[in-house]
Amino acid sequence: MDKQRQRELKEQYKEMKTYLGVVQLTNQTNGKLYIAAVRNVKNIWLRLKMQLDTGSHANSELQADWKSCGEEAFVYKVVEEKEHSPQMDLKWETKVLEKKWLDLLQPYGDKGYNKPPKE
């Protein structure tokens, strides 16, 4: 690939819009939810699926259900996304979005895989 083409591709990449957001995995077998806020929703499903398929996901309960129920038992969806802006504090914005959805859905205990907030 020539240098001009490389420059063009880099510019196209820089101009691509990225979105932070909140994703949800729903286990259709037991109704449990997993909520995660991420800085880039574009490729998160591939990463989550790879972690779960290889047994390396940090959430042991979700991992165990993935192994016992299988991928077909789970539905993935993006529940909210927000376009990045240069002045945005991504860490803070991600935490705010996650808190909003955790408060709304309460995916704890029998309802989900997330750990309840410390009081």
Side-chain angles (χ1 to χ4, degrees):
M1 182 180 316
D2 68 7
K3 293 198 182 284
Q4 178 60 31
R5 181 68 179 139
Q6 285 178 336
R7 272 189 235 115
E8 289 172 5
L9 291 173
K10 283 182 183 177
E11 285 304 313
Q12 286 177 1
Y13 180 77
K14 287 179 186 176
E15 291 175 15
M16 287 176 59
K17 292 182 180 183
T18 54
Y19 298 86
L20 65 98
V22 176
V23 297
Q24 174 182 302
L25 268 181
T26 305
N27 183 335
Q28 294 183 301
T29 306
N30 59 20
K32 285 187 164 190
L33 304 175
Y34 175 72
I35 299 296
V38 295
R39 293 183 186 181
N40 189 346
V41 297
K42 183 178 180 185
N43 296 321
I44 191 63
W45 172 235
L46 295 175
R47 184 169 28 139
L48 282 172
K49 187 175 167 337
M50 184 196 70
Q51 290 172 340
L52 291 162
D53 286 343
T54 60
S56 62
H57 195 277
N59 187 303
S60 59
E61 188 180 358
L62 174 61
Q63 183 66 66
D65 280 358
W66 182 271
K67 185 176 180 181
S68 66
C69 299
E71 176 185 347
E72 57 280 350
F74 288 84
V75 174
Y76 166 83
K77 74 177 183 178
V78 176
V79 293
E80 184 173 350
E81 63 183 14
K82 188 174 186 179
E83 188 175 334
H84 286 198
S85 67
Q87 64 276 18
M88 185 181 282
D89 180 345
L90 292 178
K91 187 174 182 178
W92 183 82
E93 290 284 345
T94 304
K95 283 184 179 183
V96 168
L97 279 180
E98 185 171 53
K99 182 177 179 347
K100 170 186 162 183
W101 283 96
L102 290 174
D103 289 348
L104 181 68
L105 299 174
Q106 299 285 308
Y108 312 118
D110 292 340
K111 290 176 61 182
Y113 299 103
N114 294 82
K115 298 202 182 323
K118 295 178 183 175
E119 301 199 15

